[in-house]
Amino acid sequence: MSAHCQLTGAQPGFGNRISHSHRRTSRRFDPNIQRKRYWLAGEGRYVRLTLSARAIKTVDTIGIEAAVARIRARGVKV
């Protein structure tokens, strides 16, 4: 599963792991990505979205129809 949110566009961030001796090695900060299924009443079908935890809360607030409209406006196929 790609660590990329379809609604917010959240992607992994990169940085360094710093040990006790202060040596630096690469690390990756992944967003909390979940696959969630929603019923789209306007189209009479389910859609499965890859969303971050923050985006799931956004969908709860604005509704699935508005969220899908935003996703499509970003150019992502639903």
Side-chain angles (χ1 to χ4, degrees), residues 9-69:
Q11 297 179 31
F14 295 89
N16 289 312
R17 222 178 237 110
I18 302 181
S19 70
H20 179 69
S21 64
H22 225 64
R23 290 175 65 109
R24 290 172 167 87
T25 54
S26 292
R27 66 161 294 176
R28 182 172 143 149
F29 296 91
D30 285 329
N32 185 4
I33 299 293
Q34 312 289 326
R35 280 180 60 89
K36 193 133 166 70
R37 193 174 83 146
Y38 290 99
W39 174 253
L40 253 181
E43 298 180 16
R45 69 185 182 106
Y46 284 100
V47 291
R48 190 176 297 275
L49 301 176
T50 305
L51 301 172
S52 63
R54 188 181 72 192
I56 291 172
K57 294 173 189 174
T58 302
V59 170
D60 292 342
T61 303
I62 67 173
I64 186 61
E65 300 287 342
V68 168

